Amino acid sequence: MGFLSRWAVLNPKKAIGIWLLLMVIVFGLSAQLKAGFNDSFSLPNTPSTKAQEILAKDFPSQADTNTSSATIVFGVKEGSIASKANVAKINAVLAKVRKNKSIISATSPFEAPAGQAGAPQSRQAGSTGPTRAASGGAPTGFNPAGTAGAFLSPVSKDGTVAKAAVVIKTDDGKANKEDLKSIFATITKANTATFEVGASGRVFDFVQGDPPKSEGIGIVVALVIMALMFGAVVAAGLPIITAVFGLSTGLAAVTMFTGFADIPTFAPTLASLIGLGVGIDYSLFVINRFKVAIDSGREPRAAAIESVNTSGRAVLFAGTTVIVALAGLFVLGIGFVNGLAIASMLTVLFVMLSALWLLPALISQFGRKTFALKLPWARTVKVHPKGTLFARYGQWIQGRSILLVVGSLVAMVVIAIPTLSLQQGFADAGGKKPGTPSRIGYDLLARGFGSGIGSPYIVVATLPKAGDLASAAKLATALQKADDVAGATNAVPNNVKNPKKATSVIYTVFPNSSPQSEETAKLLDTLREDVIPPVEQKTGIKAYVGGAKATVTDFGSVLSDALPLFLVIVIGLGIVALGILFRSILVPVIGALASLLSFGAALGVSVAIFQWGWFKDAFAIEATGPIAPFVPVFLFAILFGLSMDYQVFLVSRMQEEWAHSKDHARSIRRGMAGSGRVVAAAAAIMASVFFGFILGDDATIKLFGLSLGVAVLLDAFVVRLILVPSLMSLIGQSVWWLPAWLDRIIPHLVIETEEEFEAESALIEDVPGLIDTPVGDPLEPEGSEPFSKS
């Protein structure tokens, strides 16, 4: 990669041209190879997966990927939904919906064919239409409703809510998004002060999931920070330009890869969140080093070469660390998570390439004009006779090492305490923005039919012998009598026309509680551990609990089981890589383990806000609930990579100073003076980009934006700029210890040549009187005894 960067500096016009050609190729391949995003996922060897496999085999209509069931919900606040005027309104809405080319059928709640009204719904959680296995051809007197009749009825008991079953055309499980938006527009327009219309069904989940248009907030903040740093309009804009070029190319590559892997719908938004932040940061580091080289007297092209040889190498290491951390997610073996990892890895790869290829070419081409259009505060050279702010800060922390280590550790642990109350689960429509069709539909269904209608468990059972419906009936009775079950259907056989040939059955079990409640989660354990096993032992029937809620629970279990291996791989590789770079044992261990503090604190803030509801109004969070199961592990993968970035950029300067002076106190202080400012600026920029995504409507993206923003700020300003240098100061020069045998084995990586080091070192405005002597207590008068570490 260093060769590519140097070639770009020496051949800027060719490099820029080839980059643009690369973009054309990637965009062209994206248009040809894209296959659409896919939100489905499968879990290895779980009860919910087994249930889904039986459904696909014995109830093929339930696994049909060419159609999807959904519900349109109608409600009135006063009077009866069945009044003549309201029925006319319902029929008018459904007539318009039927004109949509993606609609196969839309059945009025007052015109449901006999034989369908009491059928359980098992095909999709959130869908309240009839089960196809029980529709049509059922024998006379067949009643699958069991004790769930109130849930399955098209009209609520109080007569204020009704639901219409809708079947929507899909292609491999994916519906036409524009057609869904048209349906939503029809539903929204039908709402009045006294007549409400909403929608329910997984097919609608991402209709309102457009990416937030808030990236501009982070870009504006980035411009302001870089304008303050570089004091020039061109230099402030170049990192953003290169990051945007890299991000757009990366997102095109993500779209292209949908033809080869299942990538979730919201993956591009998450990839944008990550890519824009790291892209601007990487370019910032390169331009900052370019400016340092220019200020030290280098000619522009030589300065660009120096920049890519030093900061460029650090960017390559940092970007590779992020990609490797994301690649660690593959050990989880979950396709859904793999898709998110692929999207994020591709985006990070291309923004890293833009910083190491496109940006070097641009600064080489512009030369000194990179710092053209100087801003007022940069037109005069400022001298700091008492040392720069970060030089003085580095001196200050060395006199208070114990206090700062203890204080920062306590603060991070306290912030992380809510993590102990972490509950995992997917957000339901109750977290949608009020007034949207999905939220209206959720509220109406819960009001009319009970909160459990949104989280049914689907029990799938194989019979001990064909036609053994007596055994199936015993399981139905057990399910219907279970505690915390509001209602459960009777067994629906896979051969309704000839039940004697049935080999499997399905049941729908409705909890008493809402989808996100702890009681609903406990009910799953009750069904699997207490209710089903005794019936299995007595009858020989074999049953599995599935459904959306069960899948989420199994998802969390799979992640928990794979988490130790994931952490060992990611943290282990991080320690090895940092050990080679810094030639130390303790420095990489401190850096890697400190990332766990940042992770815990970020997760603690997420739990406090998104689960407990603290300050939720300030972040426009509509409803609280559990944290999505994949968020913690994905958050750690991203955060570990980003935190290693700051560790590299900050400690590499300290390591260079130590290698040249063998003065530990001096290396810490001058490392802070040389890199502290740019690390603080980079963290502020990245956090502002992440926080910008909080303004979107998607609850998962809000969660990622807040979690990563908080994580970056805490990691940079508490862990990297307080805890790490304080702890290194406290430990002393032993922190750089490396066994002689290991020193001979590991490769020697040189970030700077001697000439480059001397040139940059000369520009560091250190604290007077301490430049060439070990630092003592900065608060002691001159001539006193040196400050003791203890």
Side-chain angles (χ1 to χ4, degrees):
M1 194 66 74
F3 170 79
L4 176 63
S5 298
R6 289 188 291 274
W7 174 84
V9 170
L10 299 175
N11 303 275
K13 292 181 180 179
K14 288 182 180 179
I16 294 170
I18 294 176
W19 174 269
L20 295 176
L21 178 61
L22 173 66
M23 291 185 66
V24 171
I25 293 173
V26 173
F27 275 89
L29 290 174
S30 173
Q32 295 296 319
L33 300 176
K34 66 179 181 180
F37 295 95
N38 192 336
D39 298 302
S40 63
F41 64 90
S42 60
L43 302 172
N45 303 318
T46 63
S48 58
T49 298
K50 184 63 177 178
Q52 188 59 40
E53 290 172 352
I54 297 173
L55 277 174
K57 176 177 175 289
D58 294 346
F59 299 85
S61 63
Q62 303 296 316
D64 184 6
T65 59
N66 294 319
T67 60
S68 182
S69 299
T71 304
I72 297 179
V73 193
F74 306 88
V76 291
K77 296 178 181 178
E78 296 180 356
S80 172
I81 191 67
S83 70
K84 185 176 181 180
N86 289 329
V87 170
K89 292 177 183 178
I90 291 172
N91 289 336
V93 171
L94 294 179
K96 292 180 181 178
V97 169
R98 291 188 189 104
K99 294 179 181 179
N100 190 292
K101 63 179 183 292
S102 286
I103 294 294
I104 295 175
S105 66
T107 306
S108 168
F110 305 105
E111 299 175 0
Q116 286 190 10
Q121 59 277 12
S122 63
R123 186 157 180 262
Q124 291 194 32
S127 169
T128 53
T131 293
R132 299 179 192 183
S135 61
T140 302
F142 178 72
N143 177 25
T147 60
F151 291 96
L152 305 176
S153 172
V155 180
S156 64
K157 283 184 177 181
D158 63 4
T160 63
V161 180
K163 52 189 179 181
V166 178
V167 179
I168 298 173
K169 185 188 305 180
T170 60
D171 180 12
D172 194 24
K174 298 183 284 291
N176 184 292
K177 192 169 185 178
E178 294 305 316
D179 287 349
L180 295 182
K181 287 183 176 180
S182 176
I183 295 171
F184 264 32
T186 299
I187 292 173
T188 301
K189 190 175 181 180
N191 277 272
T192 67
T194 57
F195 185 76
E196 296 178 283
V197 187
S200 176
R202 286 176 58 188
V203 71
F204 292 127
D205 281 353
F206 292 93
V207 177
Q208 302 155 137
D210 291 329
K213 307 299 182 184
S214 51
E215 295 93 331
I217 295 176
I219 291 176
V220 169
V221 174
L223 273 171
V224 170
I225 293 174
M226 288 186 291
L228 292 172
M229 281 190 66
F230 300 131
V233 174
V234 176
L238 277 179
I240 293 173
I241 292 172
T242 54
V244 169
F245 270 85
L247 176 62
S248 59
T249 310
L251 292 178
V254 171
T255 303
M256 178 179 70
F257 264 77
T258 59
F260 307 98
D262 291 336
I263 297 180
T265 304
F266 72 93
T269 305
L270 179 61
S272 297
L273 183 152
I274 300 167
L276 189 60
V278 300
I280 294 175
D281 270 16
Y282 292 165
S283 297
L284 168 67
F285 289 128
V286 172
I287 288 189
N288 181 70
R289 188 53 186 259
F290 178 64
K291 184 178 185 300
V292 169
I294 289 287
D295 291 344
S296 67
R298 296 269 194 274
E299 289 301 316
R301 188 154 291 186
I305 291 290
E306 180 177 323
S307 177
V308 298
N309 283 343
T310 53
S311 288
R313 290 172 185 168
V315 166
L316 176 61
F317 179 88
T320 302
T321 302
V322 175
I323 293 173
V324 168
L326 290 168
L329 292 167
F330 283 93
V331 304
L332 303 177
I334 301 173
F336 179 84
V337 175
N338 292 348
L340 292 175
I342 289 171
S344 301
M345 289 165 64
L346 285 171
T347 307
V348 172
L349 173 63
F350 277 97
V351 297
M352 181 178 70
L353 281 175
S354 69
L356 298 178
W357 173 354
L358 180 60
L359 182 59
L362 289 173
I363 60 178
S364 176
Q365 182 65 30
F366 289 159
R368 297 186 187 277
K369 292 181 180 178
T370 299
F371 304 101
L373 301 177
K374 286 190 179 295
L375 297 166
W377 56 84
R379 290 171 185 167
T380 57
V381 178
K382 293 183 179 179
V383 179
H384 304 87
K386 295 183 179 181
T388 62
L389 174 63
F390 275 94
R392 286 179 278 125
Y393 171 70
Q395 179 196 21
W396 181 81
I397 63 174
Q398 290 178 326
R400 298 162 176 80
S401 299
I402 296 178
L403 177 64
L404 292 175
V405 168
V406 173
S408 56
L409 280 173
V410 170
M412 295 295 282
V413 170
V414 169
I415 296 172
I417 286 176
T419 303
L420 300 175
S421 301
L422 174 68
Q423 294 180 359
Q424 298 188 71
F426 283 109
D428 56 28
K432 298 287 186 182
K433 187 176 181 180
T436 58
S438 291
R439 178 61 180 272
I440 293 172
Y442 176 90
D443 291 340
L444 285 175
L445 287 172
R447 189 185 84 197
F449 300 92
S451 56
I453 195 170
S455 54
Y457 288 116
I458 310 304
V459 179
V460 185
T462 55
L463 300 177
K465 60 182 179 179
D468 188 2
L469 297 184
S471 295
K474 292 179 181 178
L475 179 57
T477 301
L479 294 172
Q480 291 161 0
K481 292 182 177 180
D483 293 337
D484 296 322
V485 170
T489 66
N490 289 328
V492 178
N494 64 327
N495 192 332
V496 177
K497 293 182 179 180
N498 190 354
K500 291 182 179 181
K501 294 184 178 180
T503 57
S504 58
V505 292
I506 56 175
Y507 313 80
T508 304
V509 180
F510 294 93
N512 275 316
S513 46
S514 64
Q516 306 296 355
S517 70
E518 188 174 349
E519 290 76 11
T520 300
K522 289 180 179 179
L523 176 58
L524 177 61
D525 293 333
T526 300
L527 294 177
R528 286 177 171 173
E529 298 173 8
D530 302 327
V531 176
I532 293 176
V535 179
E536 288 180 325
Q537 292 176 1
K538 292 179 181 179
T539 64
I541 200 171
K542 189 64 178 176
Y544 305 90
V545 184
K549 185 68 178 178
T551 301
V552 169
T553 302
D554 291 342
F555 192 8
S557 298
V558 170
L559 289 176
S560 298
D561 292 342
L563 187 60
L565 177 61
F566 167 73
L567 292 177
V568 168
I569 291 175
V570 173
I571 295 177
L573 289 176
I575 290 175
V576 170
L578 291 178
I580 294 173
L581 182 66
F582 295 135
R583 310 195 67 74
S584 164
I585 297 293
L586 288 179
V587 169
V589 170
I590 291 171
L593 295 183
S595 298
L596 292 174
L597 283 175
S598 302
F599 170 65
L603 205 54
V605 172
S606 300
V607 169
I609 296 176
F610 283 87
Q611 188 175 304
W612 293 354
W614 292 6
F615 310 110
K616 69 184 183 71
D617 292 338
F619 298 100
I621 297 168
E622 306 299 342
T624 59
I627 306 299
F630 62 88
V631 167
V633 66
F634 208 86
L635 174 64
F636 178 77
I638 299 170
L639 175 61
F640 185 81
L642 298 180
S643 64
M644 291 301 96
D645 291 357
Y646 298 139
Q647 183 79 0
V648 168
F649 287 110
L650 184 65
V651 181
S652 60
R653 184 73 228 171
M654 297 178 184
Q655 193 269 342
E656 290 163 2
E657 292 284 348
W658 165 253
H660 284 80
S661 69
K662 298 302 179 184
D663 185 332
H664 178 65
R666 183 177 191 269
S667 67
I668 300 296
R669 187 182 69 253
R670 290 176 65 80
M672 295 293 291
S675 299
R677 177 170 171 264
V678 71
V679 167
I685 290 171
M686 190 176 294
S688 68
V689 171
F690 291 158
F691 286 142
F693 284 78
I694 297 175
L695 302 179
D697 292 332
D698 188 281
T700 302
I701 296 300
K702 277 178 177 284
L703 175 57
F704 268 114
L706 179 70
S707 301
L708 287 172
V710 169
V712 166
L713 290 181
L714 291 175
D715 188 79
F717 290 97
V718 178
V719 173
R720 307 302 156 186
L721 294 177
I722 298 178
L723 176 59
V724 169
S726 298
L727 188 57
M728 290 176 67
S729 297
L730 191 62
I731 295 173
Q733 66 182 33
S734 299
V735 79
W736 303 110
W737 175 76
L738 183 70
W741 63 268
L742 189 57
D743 183 59
R744 291 190 297 269
I745 294 174
I746 63 176
H748 288 255
L749 300 180
V750 179
I751 298 295
E752 289 184 317
T753 65
E754 188 70 26
E755 183 183 2
E756 290 167 346
F757 170 79
E758 294 296 340
E760 182 179 357
S761 183
L763 294 176
I764 295 177
E765 296 179 277
D766 204 347
V767 178
L770 297 177
I771 295 178
D772 295 312
T773 58
V775 68
D777 183 356
L779 301 181
E780 289 181 352
E782 190 172 344
S784 61
E785 291 296 321
F787 179 73
S788 171
K789 292 199 304 290
S790 59

